[in-house]
Amino acid sequence: MKEGTAQKVSNALLSGAAGFASFVFSLIAFLYITSFNEQVIASIVAGAFCLLVSYIASERPNSESARALSALGERLLAVEQGDLTSPTPKIVRDSMPKLATAVDSLFAEVRASIENAHALGMYDPVTSLPNRLHFRAEADKMLASRAQDALAAMLFVDLDRFKNVNDSLGHARGDQLLIMVANRLRVVVTAEIGEGAGPRPLLARLAGDEFTIFFPTMEAAADAERVARRIALAISEPFELHGHSIDIGASVGVALAPEHGSTIESLMRAADIAMYRAKNSGGGRYCLFSEELAEEHQRKIDTEAALSEAVQRGEFVLALQPQLSFATGEVSGAEALLRWNHPREGMRLPNSFIPVAEQTGIIAELGDWVIAEVASMLAEWQSQGIERRLAFNVSPRQLDRADFFQRLRTTLSDAGVPLSLVELEFTESAAMECSQHVLDEIAALRREGASIAIDDFGTGYSNLARLRTMPLDRVKLDPSLIKDIESSEQARVVVQAVVQLIKGVGAEIVAEAVETAAQADILRAMGCETVQGFVFAHPMFEEEYLNWTQNAERGSRSVA
């Protein structure tokens, strides 16, 4: 019989017994007691007896339920102390079995949900490797438990060209590639463990295409470098992904404890800095952290912090380097070169801050300042009757801004400067990789009178079809091409081939960073039209430049 039905039958029998007893007691009292006072007393006694029996009949089940509910409440309150495993009290199971079963099932589901949430919070869902949180917690324990003078190694792995996979094949294929990378890393780590009984290295995926491996014991720094080299080689092997052969690489940074840090945070920072050096060196390689890298990184941080306020403080100036025609010897124009007049370090050249400005995006603000300064300078020259072309560099970051070309036109127009007086220089890589929309905007500027040049030609990978169709006036040879032309026949052959290629697309050739008269003579013989370099003039500030050009014109300077 079910518990609820049994309870009802028990209550009914008890209540019936109480009623029958009351009836018998009352009957006897009225049959044998004749006095009125005795009848009243008997009636009161009989009524009280009936009430007592009825109360007992009703209170019996209520008191048992109350005790069960009280016990259940205490069990639920125990959750505050983290008790999710104890079963429901016996009194609840005896008096309310259905409720007890439901409560036990609820706690089981809660425990399962917590375990699942813990797994999701501690492991990467794509590769099933520990995530950043898990890695930090476990690596901290492993580092703390090692012997004081024992060597440990942190390896930071960042994939090269992974973004291209996501862009071309989609994020689903990118996730599959990450799983394959994780498996190769597991193979390398397992091979390093071998038959040893020491603590197992900790492999994790931090985020995106970043992985890290912590070796709590390492015999020597050379062993850590060997592992890093094996990782770089393992990831450099092509991946077969749904009919596609995927070639990526890995840049690996290595940091050692205690030499490079005594905490997981400091080791990860050091390994990250070393990884970026490996990536900036071309990728597909490893780099061991050093104090030199630390100092370089700190200089970068200091430069980044100072750059953000340098424009507002007016610390930038333009230096102008003349460009001369090989045919006439006349000044055909000049290139505006950015200089940073640092309040403590003095005049800083572009290569000491432009890369940082590019990485941080400050280059866009610097570019706006350069355009405004060029416009102001050309407007002043016009008022003095001087009309000479001025070239300036355009950063790829500036081209990413949708309003760049409109802002350029507005700045020059407001200053009253025609586009025919400016030349825009784009790096070879930017020119080859920009979108068709950007090319159309560049072509429109050229139609309106602006000159277009490719700077540092020979340092990238030119698309010859793009070079042939690009709106172009001049190509500037990179200094690395011409520095050995005096002493190397091979260098001269390469430069001659490049010159013929540029002439084939109808562009003028500018040789920059020419330092000797011998170099100038060779370049002129090869067909270069314009020269720029120390052999004729160093970069100079505006007043000196104007004086120099006036003297050059009066003296009819010739390089022919």
Side-chain angles (χ1 to χ4, degrees):
M1 185 179 294
K2 295 182 178 180
E3 181 67 22
T5 303
Q7 186 71 46
K8 291 179 181 178
V9 171
S10 174
N11 292 343
L13 290 175
L14 188 60
S15 299
F20 179 76
S22 299
F23 171 76
V24 171
F25 186 88
S26 300
L27 180 62
I28 293 172
F30 280 105
L31 289 176
Y32 292 97
I33 299 175
T34 56
S35 170
F36 176 77
N37 292 333
E38 292 176 345
Q39 290 177 349
V40 171
I41 294 173
S43 298
I44 293 173
V45 172
F49 177 75
C50 291
L51 288 173
L52 178 61
V53 173
S54 299
Y55 172 76
I56 292 173
S58 61
E59 182 63 20
R60 176 178 169 269
N62 290 340
S63 60
E64 187 173 2
S65 298
R67 288 194 298 274
L69 291 175
S70 177
L72 180 61
E74 292 177 358
R75 170 66 191 89
L76 294 175
L77 290 174
V79 174
E80 292 184 357
Q81 281 72 47
D83 184 3
L84 293 171
T85 58
S86 297
T88 54
K90 184 177 182 301
I91 187 173
V92 179
R93 295 198 303 272
D94 292 342
S95 61
M96 303 174 182
K98 284 187 175 180
L99 180 59
T101 300
V103 171
D104 286 338
S105 298
L106 176 62
F107 278 126
E109 292 179 5
V110 170
R111 288 195 300 272
S113 297
I114 291 176
E115 290 172 359
N116 290 336
H118 182 265
L120 290 174
M122 302 299 283
Y123 290 90
D124 170 46
V126 175
T127 62
S128 299
L129 293 174
N131 61 14
R132 181 185 295 271
L133 180 65
H134 190 179
F135 176 80
R136 290 290 299 271
E138 291 302 313
D140 273 330
K141 296 176 185 176
M142 297 167 75
L143 185 62
S145 63
R146 88 186 203 289
Q148 184 174 1
D149 296 329
L151 191 67
M154 178 74 72
L155 275 65
F156 200 104
V157 182
D158 187 271
L159 302 183
D160 303 326
R161 303 180 298 279
F162 178 74
K163 183 178 182 298
N164 296 338
V165 178
N166 275 342
D167 292 344
S168 59
L169 300 180
H171 288 275
R173 294 288 185 264
D175 287 347
Q176 292 174 345
L177 180 59
L178 288 173
I179 294 172
M180 298 169 74
V181 169
N183 290 335
R184 289 194 185 181
L185 293 176
R186 287 187 178 101
V187 170
V188 174
V189 171
T190 302
E192 285 301 315
I193 297 172
E195 301 296 328
R200 184 180 180 86
L202 183 61
L203 169 64
R205 179 192 175 201
L206 298 186
D209 59 353
E210 297 177 347
F211 297 83
T212 189
I213 311 172
F214 178 64
F215 288 85
T217 59
M218 187 66 68
E219 292 296 327
D223 294 323
E225 293 185 77
R226 175 177 49 78
V227 175
R229 184 165 53 252
R230 287 192 59 189
I231 290 173
L233 290 173
I235 304 303
S236 67
E237 292 293 326
F239 292 85
E240 294 300 325
L241 186 62
H242 292 271
H244 298 275
S245 181
I246 307 298
D247 286 309
I248 59 173
S251 299
V252 186
V254 183
L256 303 174
E259 181 180 355
H260 302 145
S262 57
T263 65
I264 291 299
E265 182 179 357
S266 59
L267 286 173
M268 290 181 68
R269 178 176 176 273
D272 187 43
I273 293 172
M275 182 276 295
Y276 273 107
R277 166 57 69 86
K279 188 173 289 289
N280 292 335
S281 299
R285 64 191 69 192
Y286 75 91
C287 178
L288 179 65
F289 182 77
S290 64
E291 289 304 318
E292 177 188 354
L293 283 182
E295 293 173 1
E296 180 182 314
H297 181 70
Q298 188 59 50
R299 285 196 300 271
K300 176 184 174 182
I301 293 176
D302 295 340
T303 297
E304 181 179 338
L307 273 174
S308 60
E309 299 179 3
V311 176
Q312 286 74 21
R313 291 196 296 260
E315 295 176 3
F316 290 99
V317 294
L318 289 181
L320 309 177
Q321 187 169 33
Q323 297 175 341
L324 281 73
S325 168
F326 267 128
T328 66
E330 297 178 348
V331 178
S332 58
E335 180 182 3
L337 303 171
L338 191 62
R339 299 288 187 266
W340 183 5
N341 189 14
H342 196 281
R344 295 186 304 277
E345 301 176 17
M347 202 64 68
R348 292 181 58 171
L349 298 179
N351 59 4
S352 70
F353 62 88
I354 288 297
V356 177
E358 290 274 6
Q359 293 171 8
T360 59
I362 298 175
I363 192 67
E365 186 178 359
L366 279 177
D368 288 344
W369 180 87
V370 169
I371 293 172
E373 193 71 9
V374 166
S376 174
M377 196 176 292
L378 288 173
E380 179 63 25
W381 292 358
Q382 278 188 300
S383 68
Q384 300 175 20
I386 302 171
E387 291 196 359
R388 185 170 285 117
R389 187 182 70 247
L390 195 55
F392 58 90
N393 290 279
V394 176
S395 163
R397 285 292 193 100
Q398 291 174 269
L399 296 178
D400 291 339
R401 296 170 56 175
D403 63 343
F404 167 72
F405 293 98
Q406 183 56 49
R407 290 164 64 93
L408 171 66
R409 286 186 175 90
T410 301
T411 301
L412 295 174
S413 175
D414 290 347
V417 175
L419 285 170
S420 59
L421 292 180
V422 299
E423 179 171 281
L424 282 67
E425 294 187 2
F426 303 92
T427 62
E428 181 182 7
S429 57
M432 295 301 112
E433 297 171 4
C434 63
S435 66
Q436 186 59 48
H437 170 72
V438 171
L439 281 180
D440 294 341
E441 291 282 4
I442 293 174
L445 281 176
R446 187 166 181 259
R447 288 193 299 270
E448 295 169 29
S451 296
I452 306 299
I454 291 181
D455 194 17
D456 299 330
F457 187 83
T459 59
Y461 301 94
S462 293
N463 181 324
L464 297 182
R466 168 68 67 87
L467 189 65
R468 181 172 56 84
T469 58
M470 184 176 177
L472 193 60
D473 294 288
R474 294 175 184 83
V475 175
K476 303 182 71 174
L477 301 181
D478 187 75
S480 63
L481 286 177
I482 64 176
K483 67 177 183 179
D484 296 324
I485 59 174
E486 291 180 76
S487 58
S488 171
E489 176 65 25
Q490 186 180 41
R492 290 192 290 272
V493 170
V494 170
V495 173
Q496 184 67 70
V498 172
V499 167
Q500 294 304 316
L501 173 65
I502 296 171
K503 284 184 174 294
V505 300
E508 179 183 323
I509 302 165
V510 179
E512 62 178 338
V514 179
E515 298 183 351
T516 67
Q519 288 177 339
D521 290 339
I522 294 172
L523 291 166
R524 178 175 52 188
M526 287 182 176
C528 289
E529 289 93 349
T530 304
V531 64
Q532 173 183 337
F534 290 176
V535 64
F536 296 116
H538 287 67
M540 54 194 83
F541 297 120
E542 181 182 11
E543 183 177 354
E544 184 183 359
Y545 168 77
L546 293 176
N547 291 334
W548 188 92
T549 54
Q550 290 171 4
N551 292 333
E553 290 172 355
R554 284 196 298 267
S556 299
R557 180 185 298 267
S558 176
V559 297

